Amino acid sequence: MNTKTKKILGVILALAVCAGILIYPLLTIKDSEFGGADGAADEIITSIDTEYEPWFEPMWAPPGGETESLLFCLQAALGSGVFFFCIGYLTASKKYKKKDQ
C-alpha cells in the first residue's frame, strides 16, 4: 500500500468517524431538553397575546434540544470552515502571485 492510498484511507476513516459522531446522538438521544431563542420568543409572544398562532410549522422537528444544538454547531463549523478556507485561499493566492512576478 503506497502513501497516497494510506492518506485516502485515513481521510475516509476520519470522515466515517465524524459521520458516526453526528449520527449517533440523532439515533440514541430521544428526549433531550435545551431551550433556545425560538422557545423563549414563543413564550414571550404567547404571554403578550394568548391567541397567537404561528404562521407555519417546521417540516421536520429534531428529536430533542440537544440534537438542535448539534445541528447548530455543525452549521457553525461548516460556515467557519468555508470562511477560513476562503481567507487562506486569498492569502495564498496573493503570496504566490508576488513570487511569480
Side-chain angles (χ1 to χ4, degrees), residues 83-99:
F83 177 75
F84 287 111
F85 174 79
C86 291
I87 288 176
Y89 179 80
L90 292 174
T91 304
S93 65
K94 283 183 182 179
K95 179 181 174 182
Y96 290 114
K97 197 178 274 185
K98 287 179 183 176
K99 284 185 177 180

Side-chain angles (χ1 to χ4, degrees), residues 7-27:
K7 286 182 181 178
I8 291 172
L9 287 176
V11 169
I12 290 171
L13 181 64
L15 289 174
V17 169
C18 290
I21 290 171
L22 291 174
I23 292 170
Y24 179 75
L26 292 173
L27 298 176

Side-chain angles (χ1 to χ4, degrees), residues 2 15 23 30 33 35 38 44 52 56 58 77 92 94 96-97:
N2 62 12
L15 289 174
I23 292 170
K30 298 292 181 189
E33 294 291 329
D38 293 340
I44 292 172
Y52 169 76
F56 61 93
K94 283 183 182 179
Y96 290 114
K97 197 178 274 185

Side-chain angles (χ1 to χ4, degrees), residues 7-77:
K7 286 182 181 178
I8 291 172
L9 287 176
V11 169
I12 290 171
L13 181 64
L15 289 174
V17 169
C18 290
I21 290 171
L22 291 174
I23 292 170
Y24 179 75
L26 292 173
L27 298 176
T28 58
I29 302 171
K30 298 292 181 189
D31 191 26
S32 57
E33 294 291 329
F34 186 80
D38 293 340
D42 189 43
E43 286 180 20
I44 292 172
I45 290 171
T46 52
S47 70
I48 294 170
D49 183 11
T50 55
E51 297 179 6
Y52 169 76
E53 291 184 24
W55 296 348
F56 61 93
E57 294 294 325
M59 294 175 60
W60 175 75
E66 295 296 330
T67 306
E68 287 180 19
S69 297
L70 173 71
L71 294 174
F72 182 76
C73 291
L74 178 64
Q75 179 185 5

